[in-house]
């Protein structure tokens, strides 16, 4: 009997086995780089097509890079970093080697737990902001989370029950810019939008010592703005399952931009996964999945009142 050839074996090998072999053959560095690109893209809420256009590379080329099968040149990586509004060092995942101080700080923080890191962050913010904490922080309630979580619906109801003003931060951003959020992105880009977003938050905090704020879903994408939010507001993550996020957005007649993508749900899940670690820094999490409006409001109000009653 003739021995089977390599071709015979390949033809008789199940497709998933071949795929597993292909996965094992990937270069670990390229796999890690691809994961980093996907994570940064998710955190910024950008579709693969949007990044490809901004980076002036083909969507297929970017997909290969993200899945660890594309050996991109340094110039292409630089273009992708620019499209993601980060440095090439951050894209590669090691921006903390820029100075001896960074290395020493990194050494102190390495292997610390999340609660320890949170205490360090709060202490650093207090140290670098002049030593004083915001005494009105517990009276400013900021709702964070993806579109469709219920911020714009629950926010006004919560503000009414607490007898405080309600601010939709997106509307404040549009007032400052003199145009819509979409036009800010189209005309001036994401960097300009983040600048308006931070200015709108700073002005809202200065004006209101008591307020409920509905924040844009991507506010956690800018560390400086998110630090300001955490320092001056009690934050609540309105959480929901990806399917509910999408369903609510579609029910509102909003087709941008995820709903217009053929990979809408995959993009939405990746955005949620990429931002979940940031959203989880909130003082309170309320899961609105499968809940009636009244039930979500009751849980939200109970949690917020408990936070406001805590000793300062």
């Amino acid at each position: 009997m003739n021995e089977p050839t390599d071709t015979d074996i390949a033809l008789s090998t199940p497709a998933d086995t071949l795929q597993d072999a292909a996965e094992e053959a990937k270069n670990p560095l390229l796999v890690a780089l691809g994961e980093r690109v996907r994570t940064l893209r998710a955190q910024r809420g950008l579709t693969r097509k949007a990044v490809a256009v901004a980076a002036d590379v083909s969507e297929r080329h970017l997909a290969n890079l993200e899945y660890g099968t594309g050996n991109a040149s340094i110039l292409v990586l630089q273009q992708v970093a620019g499209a993601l509004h980060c440095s090439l060092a951050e894209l590669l995942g090691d921006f903390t080697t820029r100075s001896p101080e960074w290395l020493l700080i990194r050494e102190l923080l390495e292997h610390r737990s999340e609660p320890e890191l949170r205490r360090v962050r709060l202490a650093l913010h207090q140290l670098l902001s002049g030593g004083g904490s915001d005494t009105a922080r517990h009276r400013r309630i900021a709702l964070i989370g993806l579109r469709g979580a219920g911020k714009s619906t629950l926010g006004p109801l919560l503000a009414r029950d607490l007898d405080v003003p309600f601010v939709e931060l997106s509307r404040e951003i549009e007032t400052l810019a003199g145009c819509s959020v979409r036009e800010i992105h189209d005309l001036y880009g994401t960097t300009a939008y983040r600048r308006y977003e931070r200015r709108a938050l700073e002005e809202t905090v200065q004006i209101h010592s008591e307020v409920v704020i509905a924040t844009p879903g991507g506010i956690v994408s800018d560390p400086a703005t998110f630090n300001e939010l955490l320092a001056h507001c009690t934050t609540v993550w309105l959480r929901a399952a990806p399917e509910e996020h999408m369903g609510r957005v579609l029910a509102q007649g909003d087709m941008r931009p995820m709903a217009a993508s053929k990979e809408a749900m995959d993009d939405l899940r990746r955005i949620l996964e990429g931002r979940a670690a940031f959203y989880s820094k909130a003082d309170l999490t309320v899961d609105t999945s499968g809940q009636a409006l009244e039930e979500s409001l009751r849980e939200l109000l109970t949690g917020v009142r408990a936070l406001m009653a805590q000793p300062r």
Side-chain angles (χ1 to χ4, degrees):
M1 177 181 287
N2 293 331
E3 292 292 328
T5 65
D6 291 341
T7 302
D8 293 329
I9 294 173
L11 289 174
S12 63
T13 301
D16 56 348
T17 303
L18 289 173
Q19 185 173 353
D20 290 343
E23 291 290 331
E24 292 177 0
K26 287 182 180 179
N27 184 291
L29 177 61
L30 295 179
V31 172
L33 176 61
E35 180 60 33
R36 183 69 179 162
V37 172
R38 292 202 305 275
T39 298
L40 288 168
R41 179 167 67 81
Q43 289 173 359
R44 285 152 177 77
L46 298 171
T47 64
R48 187 181 298 145
K49 181 177 182 180
V51 174
V53 170
D56 196 24
V57 299
S58 72
E59 193 172 351
R60 181 175 182 180
H61 191 94
L62 182 60
N64 289 338
L65 174 61
E66 288 192 354
Y67 288 100
T69 59
N71 191 356
S73 70
I74 293 295
L75 291 178
V76 168
L77 291 180
Q78 188 175 47
Q79 290 168 231
V80 172
L84 292 171
H85 304 284
C86 68
S87 66
L88 185 57
E90 185 180 0
L91 183 69
L92 296 175
D94 190 17
F95 63 92
T96 59
T97 58
R98 62 178 63 171
S99 74
E101 289 297 340
W102 262 117
L103 287 170
L104 292 170
I105 292 171
R106 187 178 70 176
E107 177 65 24
L108 287 172
L109 299 180
E110 200 166 6
H111 307 306
R112 300 287 182 178
S113 67
E114 280 294 304
E116 287 176 319
L117 291 173
R118 183 178 187 275
R119 289 198 297 271
V120 170
R121 174 175 57 79
L122 293 174
L124 277 174
H125 189 278
Q126 186 171 343
L127 174 66
L128 298 176
S129 62
S133 59
D134 190 340
T135 57
R137 178 182 179 274
H138 69 290
R139 300 195 304 273
R140 298 191 195 96
I141 310 301
L143 306 180
I144 64 175
L146 289 183
R147 281 188 299 141
K151 294 173 293 183
S152 297
T153 302
L154 289 169
L157 299 175
L158 177 64
R160 183 194 64 191
D161 283 351
L162 296 177
D163 194 23
V164 300
F166 172 72
V167 172
E168 183 93 43
L169 202 61
S170 293
R171 304 289 80 80
E172 301 302 310
I173 293 169
E174 292 178 334
T175 299
L176 285 173
C179 58
S180 69
V181 167
R182 170 54 66 85
E183 288 171 328
I184 298 172
H185 282 288
D186 290 346
L187 296 173
Y188 310 115
T190 302
T191 301
Y193 171 79
R194 294 299 175 208
R195 188 167 61 248
Y196 282 118
E197 182 179 61
R198 184 170 186 186
R199 183 179 161 195
L201 175 63
E202 290 172 341
E203 291 192 3
T204 299
V205 166
Q206 289 171 3
I207 293 170
H208 300 284
S209 59
E210 296 181 318
V211 67
V212 172
I213 307 170
T215 67
I219 199 167
V220 300
S221 299
D222 184 81
T225 304
F226 193 39
N227 265 327
E228 284 295 307
L229 188 73
L230 293 173
H232 296 290
C233 301
T234 294
T235 50
V236 181
W237 177 17
L238 294 183
R239 185 177 186 175
E243 294 78 11
E244 293 212 28
H245 279 291
M246 181 65 76
R248 293 170 186 173
V249 170
L250 291 174
Q252 295 166 6
D254 189 350
M255 303 300 289
R256 2 147 259 159
M258 294 292 101
S261 168
K262 62 182 180 181
E263 300 176 344
M265 283 306 303
D266 288 341
D267 286 332
L268 186 62
R269 287 191 181 95
R270 187 165 290 278
I271 289 172
L272 188 55
E273 289 171 4
R275 292 179 180 170
F278 294 91
Y279 289 146
S280 66
K281 300 301 178 188
D283 300 284
L284 173 70
T285 298
V286 175
D287 195 331
T288 63
S289 298
Q291 289 190 345
L293 179 61
E294 296 77 11
E295 187 179 358
S296 294
L297 178 60
R298 184 165 54 250
E299 183 179 346
L300 174 61
L301 188 58
T302 300
V304 166
R305 281 179 171 162
L307 287 173
M308 295 176 74
Q310 289 178 0
R312 302 297 141 203

